[in-house]
Amino acid sequence: MGQESADESSAETWSNWSGSVSFEPDEILEPADEEELREIVSACAEAGRTVRVAGAGHSWTPVVETEDVVVSLANMTGVVDHDEDAKTATLYAGTTLEEAGTKLHDRDLAFPNLGDVSMQTVAGAFGTGTHGTGPTFENLSGSLVGGRMVTGTGDVREFDAENDPDLLRAAQLSLGTLGIFTEVELDLQTTYKIQRREYCTNWRECRGHIPTLIEENRNFDFYWYPRSDEVKLRLLNAPGGGTDHNDLAYATLVEDQTGWWQETIPEHDDIGREFDEMEYALPFEDGLECFERVRERVREHWRADVGWRLLVRTVAADDAFLSTEYDRQTMTISCIQNAELEHWPYFEDIEPIFREYEGRPHWGKKHTLRAPELQELYPEWDRFQEIRRELDPDGVFLSEYLEDLLEAESDDPASERQLATERTEPGRSRDESGGDEP
Ligand SMILES: Cc1cc2nc3c(=O)[nH]c(=O)nc-3n(C[C@H](O)[C@H](O)[C@H](O)COP(=O)(O)OP(=O)(O)OC[C@H]3O[C@@H](n4cnc5c(N)ncnc54)[C@H](O)[C@@H]3O)c2cc1C
């Protein structure tokens, strides 16, 4: 996607999906294989150049941005091998979740869960802790049990859960700063069918039912629409499972379809126009209270400017060092804004509410935190940095943005640069919003 966007405008420009991150690196390279990738990283290490690996460019933070070299693994896709009995598979790291879904299903295998879309690459999705919803499902990187990466010295490092448990916990969510994964080994399950039901209601009617809906359904989340105060409830279950339809008398059924997991968990309808997003991961027990406060603030101050919905999901706790769910059961809240409209004034107004609850920002979605604030939120922050410095001693993977994000002592914050770039986008009027999203 990033590469496609780049090709559309000029050979030198790289843009993320929404267009809110755009830059011109010296080179955008697509190595044919691991050996060619090794040569690129070694040459950059020797020349003191930075290398950032891109997935599908679906992050809203400038995690791929660099003046030097962007690498895409668009040529390194597909299944390396699989074991149907052990329910494991190894994929090339540039494989998209969509391609992985089809190819794993053909082999009777499946991810336990997915997020809202499947255009991301597998390694890119792990790289920022992409998640779906459901209180018993970790973010997608919970499936990672081993793999291969090209480290900052240009060496190939293999790792697995048994021999390198700490490296695995660091690698699960590592923003391309430990190494560039070339292969990822996954712990999976047998392929399965899912029934998706969607109901429309409003906040007053459904508010009291949310805890039960979370408890009774495999995957439950809801969209809240600021302008109308309406709510869409989404319930995904094994066919016939979950909350009984008769117990949802306060809501109207608008969709009921059953299909294989890879076709049914992500939304395959056209998303419509592009948007930008901020999402925070909150302690589960504070999530609904926090949402009530965000809802109030949005209704008081942002109703006219924000037509797009907010999304509330749940994620299971895990032990990956930089996981937004590290050691805590989580509820996430996303604020979404039309990509043609200003997002920072809205996001910066809501962000302090999330921070009051010790919210952790999604690594791939807009936020303003940098290393000094982030390190307070992650108990194993130092252990992660130790491993990162070991694998990338010269900081080949550390762009200015990543340095500000991960090196607390950095004295040249890129945060203002980033915000300045993003804020200088052409002025946009609220009249252009196009109204509520469907
Ligand atoms: C329309 C849309 C819907 C979304 N839905 C969800 C959702 O439901 N849930 C959710 O949590 N997020 C969601 N996101 C966010 C998205 O899943 C994450 O930002 C994800 O990281 C993007 O993956 P990507 O392949 O595009 O990687 P990129 O955004 O290109 O890169 C992400 C990170 O991964 C690193 N990386 C990429 N490839 C490798 C590699 N081979 N080795 C090591 N590091 C690598 C990059 O360096 C970077 O740090 C959504 C985004 C969009 C645009």
Side-chain angles (χ1 to χ4, degrees):
M1 170 78 202
Q3 186 62 43
E4 280 168 25
S5 311
D7 290 344
E8 275 162 24
S9 43
S10 102
E12 306 273 285
T13 302
W14 190 96
S15 290
N16 71 335
W17 175 81
S18 72
S20 63
V21 177
S22 178
F23 60 95
E24 290 186 4
D26 272 353
E27 293 180 280
I28 299 175
L29 302 174
E30 292 189 356
D33 53 27
E34 188 180 82
E35 183 50 31
E36 214 174 298
L37 175 65
R38 241 179 41 68
E39 283 164 18
I40 293 168
V41 175
S42 301
C44 286
E46 216 161 285
R49 300 172 86 200
T50 302
V51 186
R52 293 298 303 151
V53 58
H58 271 54
S59 295
W60 285 281
T61 45
V63 278
V64 174
E65 185 165 347
T66 173
E67 288 175 358
D68 296 341
V69 177
V70 170
V71 164
S72 156
L73 302 195
N75 294 322
M76 296 166 70
T77 66
V79 178
V80 180
D81 57 41
H82 77 287
D83 182 335
E84 227 173 284
D85 297 329
K87 307 206 186 316
T88 57
T90 300
L91 304 181
Y92 289 109
T95 312
T96 63
L97 290 171
E98 188 170 17
E99 183 185 350
T102 309
K103 293 195 165 155
L104 291 174
H105 172 68
D106 288 347
R107 291 162 174 80
D108 213 20
L109 293 171
F111 275 100
N113 205 7
L114 286 174
D116 254 3
V117 299
S118 53
M119 291 94 94
Q120 308 95 319
T121 61
V122 177
F126 292 172
T128 66
T130 297
H131 61 89
T133 190
T136 61
F137 295 98
E138 294 178 14
N139 74 50
L140 269 53
S141 78
S143 294
L144 185 72
V145 290
R148 292 169 70 88
M149 65 170 105
V150 174
T151 68
T153 51
D155 295 306
V156 173
R157 173 76 192 255
E158 286 186 59
F159 63 98
D160 62 61
E162 204 175 309
N163 296 307
D164 316 281
D166 269 16
L167 175 53
L168 179 67
R169 292 166 72 199
Q172 269 179 261
L173 196 165
S174 50
L175 297 156
T177 63
L178 305 188
I180 300 179
F181 299 118
T182 52
E183 294 177 16
V184 287
E185 189 189 340
L186 309 172
D187 184 24
L188 301 163
Q189 64 178 74
T190 305
T191 196
Y192 54 93
K193 280 196 164 166
I194 282 283
Q195 180 181 13
R196 168 188 282 271
R197 282 180 291 156
E198 296 187 352
Y199 292 84
C200 284
T201 179
N202 64 56
W203 181 243
R204 195 171 40 82
E205 293 287 344
C206 72
R207 193 254 170 271
H209 298 281
I210 302 290
T212 310
L213 289 167
I214 292 171
E215 213 178 286
E216 289 184 349
N217 295 284
R218 182 186 195 273
N219 313 107
F220 166 77
D221 61 18
F222 69 88
Y223 282 121
W224 172 71
Y225 297 83
R227 292 192 181 162
S228 61
D229 209 23
E230 285 175 356
V231 172
K232 185 187 269 186
L233 309 170
R234 302 193 297 182
L235 288 61
L236 276 70
N237 290 287
T243 301
D244 192 293
H245 174 69
N246 295 322
D247 294 338
L248 282 150
Y250 53 88
T252 307
L253 183 69
V254 292
E255 183 168 343
D256 187 353
Q257 54 150 312
T258 299
W260 292 106
W261 63 280
Q262 80 282 6
E263 289 160 356
T264 311
I265 301 179
E267 295 274 12
H268 284 280
D269 293 344
D270 186 11
I271 304 176
R273 67 189 74 187
E274 280 85 20
F275 55 86
D276 287 291
E277 184 169 328
M278 168 175 71
E279 179 180 72
Y280 266 73
L282 293 313
F284 180 81
E285 57 281 10
D286 297 330
L288 284 178
E289 178 188 302
C290 179
F291 174 72
E292 294 270 22
R293 288 192 49 205
V294 170
R295 172 180 167 272
E296 254 168 56
R297 183 75 192 163
V298 173
R299 280 181 76 76
E300 278 168 18
H301 291 268
W302 297 104
R303 251 178 96 189
D305 302 76
V306 177
W308 284 63
R309 53 205 183 179
L310 280 80
L311 172 60
V312 178
R313 297 184 273 192
T314 59
V315 194
D318 66 22
D319 66 356
F321 295 143
L322 292 192
S323 166
T324 43
E325 291 79 45
Y326 177 84
D327 201 25
R328 79 185 189 198
Q329 190 71 11
T330 293
M331 188 172 286
T332 64
I333 303 178
S334 296
C335 297
I336 299 168
Q337 175 67 313
N338 186 323
E340 289 157 17
L341 298 174
E342 266 196 295
H343 53 265
W344 277 118
Y346 168 42
F347 291 170
E348 282 181 316
D349 183 56
I350 302 299
E351 193 176 42
I353 304 177
F354 292 141
R355 296 203 56 203
E356 272 183 53
Y357 293 91
E358 294 190 8
R360 296 171 178 154
H362 190 300
W363 293 97
K365 305 189 182 183
K366 304 285 188 194
H367 66 90
T368 66
L369 306 200
R370 296 298 179 268
E373 298 99 30
L374 288 164
Q375 67 180 350
E376 301 294 322
L377 297 170
Y378 291 95
E380 306 228 42
W381 180 266
D382 290 342
R383 183 72 186 116
F384 177 85
Q385 306 304 348
E386 214 175 280
I387 292 173
R388 178 176 62 76
R389 291 187 190 112
E390 205 179 294
L391 292 172
D392 182 20
D394 300 322
V396 174
F397 303 126
L398 271 195
S399 59
E400 284 174 288
Y401 175 70
L402 265 306
E403 197 173 326
D404 283 352
L405 213 60
L406 301 178
E407 294 277 7
E409 58 278 11
S410 165
D411 56 358
D412 176 27
S415 53
E416 284 313 307
R417 258 194 315 279
Q418 179 212 350
L419 297 185
T421 312
E422 294 183 332
R423 281 188 180 125
T424 51
E425 289 166 342
R428 295 146 169 180
S429 105
R430 69 179 59 174
D431 296 329
E432 291 172 292
S433 79
D436 272 337
E437 196 206 355

